[in-house]
Amino acid sequence: MKFQISILLATVLFTAGCSNYATVKEIQPVYRSPTEAGQLIARTLKDPSPQPLVRMGSYLDAASTAAEVLRKQPGDTQARDDYNFAVSRIFGIIHDAGLQPWKAPVACPGANRTWSFSLQSDPRPERNPSKYNIQPADIYQFKGKLVRQSYKDGIGAPLVVVGKAAEPGKAQNFEVSRISYGMTGVVNFNGDKCSASFLDPLAVEDITFEGHTQPLAADFTAPISLALADRKPRKTELDGLFRPEDFEAKTRLARLQPYDPKKIPVLCIHGLGDSQATWAPLIETLRGDPVIRRNYQFWFFSYPTGYPYPLTASVLRKQMDAINKNYPGHKKIVVIGHSMGGMISRTLITDSGMRLWNAIYDKPPSEMPFSAETRKVMTDSLIFKPRTDISRVIFASASHRGSDIATGFLGRFGSRIIGSPADVIPDEPEVFALAKPNSTGENLKSMPNSIDFLKPTNRFVTTLAKIPTTKGIPYHSIIGDRGKGGNLNHVKPVSTDGIVPYWSSHIEGSQSEVIVPSHHWSNQHPLGIAEVNRILHEHLKNR
């Protein structure tokens, strides 16, 4: 009971305002259109046949009628809407009736003909449609703090493709274990034959339809919001904070879309008590920009945030090495780090030399009586070179110099709840017995946790802040102040986002610094997202 109360209190204190990421409600789409195709749709909606193939035939009649209008008048938006709605209903029937038109054509009786309907699919086993639930996006209604409506008008039925089960081995190829992805369904007509296909709106901008070039429709909200609503990441985030040892194996770098060597990877690194879910508003919004879609691909780094971030940063560097091995020649990465993720990002553009090591130990690694495993863990965490595969960094509410909250009641309470990460270092007692006393003259007794690494007096934090960043890698700052303003130094009232003050988020040498009227999650504020968009556009000009 005591542990449960502690978790509850910590949740309230450290994560207030972060619940209800996304909720989903299935709805029955309604449609009204005065056109011939619209009337066909209305009759089918009003008096649906119990036979799925008959309903499909009716919707194919409507889609064919609308397609014929578009052949003559490609700019007719009403005909486009008629077509899209009818095609959405066709894919809904395929799902609900368990049809498999990718295996063999199905006969769908229409008013004046019987349609032969087939679905083209990718021959690769991992793209087999039978492995996924494929539903039209317009049957979902989303609400929540991380939901941003982002669509692209065009031809086709936006679809949500969700894996029926988590698949092992996905991490080896930097894929999410259970896909939730947006596709667009298109049906083409040739006499009484109709052929459907799936298209990726992140890879295809325009298609040829009925002899004319048309933009491909897309829904960039539904796949991410559905994943948030279904998987409820808040519990995982809290477990990763309070029981990090149980989630160590889930530390991973993954891509949110198929790898494209022509696109620049954008690596998003979340902060304390968060997960990749924190990036949903930013990614949903940015995917609505055709320049971003054509030039960038999004990745994320997920980790248990209870661990000390120097250790997490060392794991990230290893996973980035694996990326380079798997995708040699990939374009240099743009990194966006929020909060503690910004601190991790800072290490990626820093040559530590021996300064961090010497801040803690009097002797070099080779002279320390550590086991080989412990020596590697400590050297990887404290001695590192800047990454040569990074081209730019964006800091969002980064706590470069810590936060006074970590030294107050909330910080002390949180540090006790998290405790010291277990099983990180094999011979932990020796590691801390040989460390120098800290700034208050106290000796380390256990591995500092993530809260301890937020203290402004932490020697790693103070030393890293004094080490210059690597020349040639530009970086930017997005800082929140809740709209209240305040002093930019330690004099009260201090400008702060409620967790991290300006004097901690500010870093000299930034190519740009924007203060937005935001709480700590400046990466979710419209002005913060707009600034990321601006920077990504600028990056394309300066390559």
Side-chain angles (χ1 to χ4, degrees):
M1 177 63 72
K2 181 179 179 181
F3 178 77
Q4 292 175 333
I5 293 174
S6 298
I7 291 295
L8 177 61
L9 287 173
T11 300
V12 173
L13 294 172
F14 287 95
T15 62
C18 296
S19 59
N20 296 324
Y21 284 168
T23 59
V24 59
K25 176 183 177 182
E26 287 198 26
I27 60 174
Q28 182 66 43
V30 296
Y31 194 73
R32 293 181 179 87
S33 170
T35 65
E36 181 182 353
Q39 296 306 305
L40 290 170
I41 291 171
R43 285 197 295 269
T44 308
L45 288 172
K46 183 177 180 181
D47 299 306
S49 169
Q51 300 179 43
L53 294 180
V54 173
R55 295 201 307 276
M56 276 186 64
S58 297
Y59 286 123
L60 286 167
D61 286 344
S64 174
T65 300
E68 179 61 22
V69 174
L70 290 168
R71 184 179 67 81
K72 300 174 183 177
Q73 303 173 50
D76 191 321
T77 56
Q78 184 62 67
R80 183 198 65 193
D81 292 346
D82 293 342
Y83 172 86
N84 291 352
F85 189 86
V87 173
S88 292
R89 305 288 68 75
I90 290 166
F91 278 98
I93 292 170
I94 292 171
H95 172 272
D96 295 343
L99 303 177
Q100 296 183 321
W102 52 87
K103 290 186 175 180
V106 294
C108 305
N112 301 311
R113 68 182 83 187
T114 297
W115 298 101
S116 176
F117 180 90
S118 61
L119 176 60
Q120 300 173 359
S121 64
D122 194 308
R124 288 173 286 185
E126 66 271 19
R127 303 288 180 92
N128 189 331
S130 63
K131 298 175 64 175
Y132 306 97
N133 290 313
I134 303 170
Q135 287 273 44
D138 64 1
I139 70 168
Y140 299 113
Q141 185 179 78
F142 299 100
K143 294 182 180 179
K145 295 194 174 191
L146 300 189
V147 176
R148 300 292 186 275
Q149 304 300 332
S150 182
Y151 309 99
K152 176 191 170 190
D153 289 332
I155 198 76
L159 307 170
V160 183
V161 179
V162 179
K164 291 181 178 179
E167 297 185 58
K170 289 286 188 179
Q172 298 176 4
N173 198 33
F174 305 99
E175 297 178 81
V176 294
S177 59
R178 186 178 172 214
I179 191 172
S180 180
Y181 198 71
M183 300 290 281
T184 302
V186 176
V187 178
N188 289 289
F189 297 90
N190 183 11
D192 61 1
K193 289 182 169 43
C194 39
S195 175
S197 58
F198 299 122
L199 298 173
D200 183 352
L202 296 179
V204 179
E205 287 292 326
D206 304 299
I207 64 171
T208 300
F209 182 78
E210 294 296 333
H212 303 279
T213 299
Q214 295 272 17
L216 184 69
D219 186 327
F220 302 113
T221 296
I224 294 177
S225 295
L226 186 62
L228 293 177
D230 284 350
R231 297 167 202 178
K232 298 178 176 57
R234 197 70 204 122
K235 181 182 184 303
T236 301
E237 292 172 353
L238 294 174
D239 287 342
L241 175 61
F242 298 113
R243 296 189 291 116
E245 64 278 4
D246 294 344
F247 288 82
E248 182 179 5
K250 294 186 178 181
T251 301
R252 57 175 309 199
L253 198 159
R255 48 187 171 82
L256 293 181
Q257 60 199 88
Y259 173 72
D260 186 339
K262 297 178 182 179
K263 294 184 178 182
I264 301 167
V266 177
L267 175 57
C268 302
I269 307 175
H270 64 78
L272 180 70
D274 281 329
S275 70
Q276 62 269 29
T278 194
W279 298 106
L282 181 140
I283 293 174
E284 289 167 342
T285 303
L286 292 183
R287 279 180 170 174
D289 184 330
V291 174
I292 301 298
R293 290 196 301 271
R294 284 195 297 267
N295 292 282
Y296 292 98
Q297 56 190 315
F298 289 93
W299 297 59
F300 65 80
F301 179 60
S302 180
Y303 62 99
T305 60
Y307 277 152
Y309 82 86
L311 177 67
T312 301
S314 71
V315 174
L316 173 58
R317 287 191 288 271
K318 293 183 180 68
Q319 296 209 3
M320 294 180 74
D321 289 340
I323 290 288
N324 295 338
K325 182 177 179 180
N326 278 44
Y327 303 110
H330 69 76
K331 293 185 179 295
K332 287 193 173 184
I333 300 168
V334 174
V335 177
I336 310 177
H338 170 251
S339 191
M340 183 174 284
M343 300 166 79
I344 293 173
S345 302
R346 170 69 157 87
T347 70
L348 301 178
I349 56 173
T350 303
D351 185 346
S352 71
M354 293 296 294
R355 293 181 66 172
L356 291 168
W357 181 276
N358 291 339
I360 300 174
Y361 295 110
D362 287 319
K363 297 180 180 180
S366 59
E367 298 180 20
M368 301 298 290
F370 298 157
S371 66
E373 184 178 354
T374 295
R375 182 175 289 106
K376 180 165 180 56
V377 171
M378 296 302 295
T379 54
D380 286 349
S381 299
L382 298 175
I383 304 173
F384 43 82
K385 294 286 187 181
R387 302 293 305 186
T388 59
D389 49 2
I390 290 177
S391 57
R392 191 176 297 267
V393 174
I394 303 172
F395 298 113
S397 298
S399 45
H400 297 297
R401 296 173 186 80
S403 172
D404 288 332
I405 288 180
T407 61
F409 168 76
L410 296 183
R412 294 193 300 272
F413 177 77
S415 183
R416 287 197 299 271
I417 294 299
I418 295 173
S420 298
D423 303 324
V424 173
I425 299 176
D427 42 352
E428 182 177 332
E430 291 82 356
V431 168
F432 301 109
L434 296 171
K436 298 178 184 178
N438 62 22
S439 59
T440 63
E442 297 175 326
N443 292 317
L444 289 176
K445 297 178 182 178
S446 62
M447 167 70 80
N449 57 40
S450 56
I451 298 295
D452 297 321
F453 272 92
L454 284 175
K455 296 176 180 178
T457 56
N458 179 282
R459 71 184 87 182
F460 185 97
V461 172
T462 57
T463 304
L464 180 64
K466 296 175 183 177
I467 302 175
T469 59
T470 301
K471 293 182 179 180
I473 303 179
Y475 51 91
H476 308 257
S477 294
I478 301 173
I479 299 172
D481 78 343
R482 300 180 296 173
K484 297 182 178 181
N487 295 312
L488 304 184
N489 52 23
H490 292 266
V491 178
K492 296 182 179 180
V494 173
S495 175
T496 177
D497 60 22
I499 295 178
V500 178
Y502 174 88
W503 55 258
S504 179
S505 289
H506 172 75
I507 179 171
E508 292 294 333
S510 290
Q511 293 280 308
S512 63
E513 179 181 277
V514 171
I515 300 177
V516 299
S518 164
H519 52 46
H520 184 55
W521 287 267
S522 60
N523 59 322
Q524 297 173 6
H525 191 278
L527 293 179
I529 295 173
E531 174 64 2
V532 173
N533 183 284
R534 184 198 67 79
I535 293 168
L536 294 180
H537 277 256
E538 176 184 310
H539 183 71
L540 294 175
K541 298 176 184 177
N542 297 328
R543 285 186 297 172

